[in-house]
Amino acid sequence: MFLLDKLFGRIKGAAPAAVAAGDSSGLAPVRAPAAPATGAAAPGTQIRHDQALIATLMQDHVALLDIHSAITAALDGGRLDVVQRRLEEFRIALMDHLLKENVRLYVYLEHFLRPDAVSHQLMREFRHEMDGIGRVVVDFLDKYKELGRHSELAGAFRKDLAAIGQALVSRIRREEDILYPMYLPAA
């Protein structure tokens, strides 16, 4: 839970409360993930399978990649002020996505896949890997949150942004090809 704690401000480097509450900066407020629950609950939980969850998570992936592309375009245009705003937008979108995955996907799969040791272990490896990737992305966002005021960071930022983009694309591909197909309705 380190990653969620860091993203939601329980650890140093937290986002300001105004951002979390959706201030007037033009950024979307953080939304609590509301899900229409359908079907049987995963064994040992009250978490029900949501037919729309995977489509929602995949839409999040598109949005995250779009924001990354917008950051790259703003950087190419020398608009570090826009880059800085888009980085905060990326942080908020990532928080929303990770919260959905952690609460609605992984908790469900943790219980649903327990009888299948191989799939259960694979899912746990995905979750552990995401914690590591998440820490790297949060550190990246923290490192460059003042980029608009420190143009000397632009060269290092470009390299780090490319690496984050490659990791994001690889992770999204693996989630959509391997992890998300494991999310099936409970019997």
Side-chain angles (χ1 to χ4, degrees):
M1 294 314 267
F2 166 81
L3 179 61
L4 291 178
D5 288 342
K6 179 119 174 157
L7 285 170
F8 285 108
R10 291 179 221 134
I11 296 179
K12 70 176 183 129
V19 172
D23 68 4
S24 61
S25 67
L27 300 175
V30 175
R31 299 175 312 276
T38 58
T45 74
Q46 292 301 312
I47 297 178
R48 298 189 179 282
H49 184 270
D50 175 6
Q51 290 179 287
L53 179 60
I54 299 304
T56 300
L57 293 173
M58 290 172 73
Q59 288 170 351
D60 290 352
H61 289 165
V62 171
L64 287 165
L65 292 171
D66 286 348
I67 296 167
H68 184 276
S69 293
I71 292 168
T72 301
L75 182 62
D76 290 345
R79 297 292 317 269
L80 296 182
D81 57 325
V82 174
V83 169
Q84 187 174 327
R85 285 195 311 271
R86 290 297 205 153
L87 284 173
E88 188 56 31
E89 183 181 348
F90 187 82
R91 178 189 299 273
I92 291 168
L94 181 67
M95 286 173 19
D96 183 54
H97 179 74
L98 293 176
L99 184 60
K100 281 183 240 175
E101 278 191 345
N102 274 300
V103 173
R104 294 173 50 205
L105 178 71
Y106 286 122
V107 172
Y108 179 89
L109 288 176
E110 178 72 32
H111 294 273
F112 178 73
L113 295 175
R114 194 165 276 143
D116 179 350
V118 173
S119 294
H120 188 260
Q121 181 60 34
L122 180 60
M123 177 275 306
R124 293 187 82 150
E125 289 170 8
F126 262 93
R127 190 174 197 178
H128 180 73
E129 177 188 329
M130 189 64 234
D131 286 343
I133 292 170
R135 274 188 221 103
V136 169
V137 173
V138 168
D139 290 346
F140 164 81
L141 293 169
D142 285 346
K143 179 178 179 180
Y144 294 110
K145 68 182 173 187
E146 299 292 325
L147 181 65
R149 293 185 202 112
H150 299 282
S151 60
E152 69 276 6
L153 297 173
F157 175 77
R158 182 177 299 280
K159 180 180 173 191
D160 290 349
L161 180 65
I164 292 292
Q166 288 175 340
L168 188 63
V169 167
S170 175
R171 174 62 188 210
I172 286 171
R173 185 173 295 125
R174 292 179 59 243
E175 280 184 355
E176 292 181 0
D177 291 347
I178 300 167
L179 181 65
Y180 291 174
M182 292 181 189
Y183 185 75
L184 301 170

